[in-house]
Amino acid sequence: MIFIHDSAIVDEGAVVGDFTSIWHFAHVEGKAVIGENCNLGQNVYVGNSAIVGNACRLGNSVSVFSHV
């Protein structure tokens, strides 16, 4: 089960793993990959071609830019 808050934006093409939560005003761009069992806090940004591994927690207002 994936939880995406109503105010979050997950662009088409983004890959989001099972049991991941994406909270208020977060933005995940279309070529990003988010692993399983992750928690992306409020205002988090994940850019194109960025990869977030499994079981990662990104606190509020964290940015992960392209190719990271």
Side-chain angles (χ1 to χ4, degrees), residues 16-42:
V16 179
D18 289 336
F19 308 107
T20 290
S21 296
I22 301 175
W23 292 97
H24 306 76
F25 309 111
H27 183 190
V28 178
E29 291 199 0
K31 294 179 183 176
V33 177
I34 310 296
E36 295 181 353
N37 198 32
C38 293
N39 188 7
L40 278 60
Q42 182 172 318

Side-chain angles (χ1 to χ4, degrees), residues 3-62:
F3 172 79
I4 300 173
H5 190 272
D6 290 339
S7 65
I9 298 170
V10 178
D11 292 342
E12 186 175 336
V15 176
V16 179
D18 289 336
F19 308 107
T20 290
S21 296
I22 301 175
W23 292 97
H24 306 76
F25 309 111
H27 183 190
V28 178
E29 291 199 0
K31 294 179 183 176
V33 177
I34 310 296
E36 295 181 353
N37 198 32
C38 293
N39 188 7
L40 278 60
Q42 182 172 318
N43 298 320
V44 165
Y45 167 79
V46 181
N48 277 323
S49 301
I51 299 173
V52 176
N54 294 327
C56 291
R57 180 184 182 279
L58 301 181
N60 295 344
S61 302
V62 168

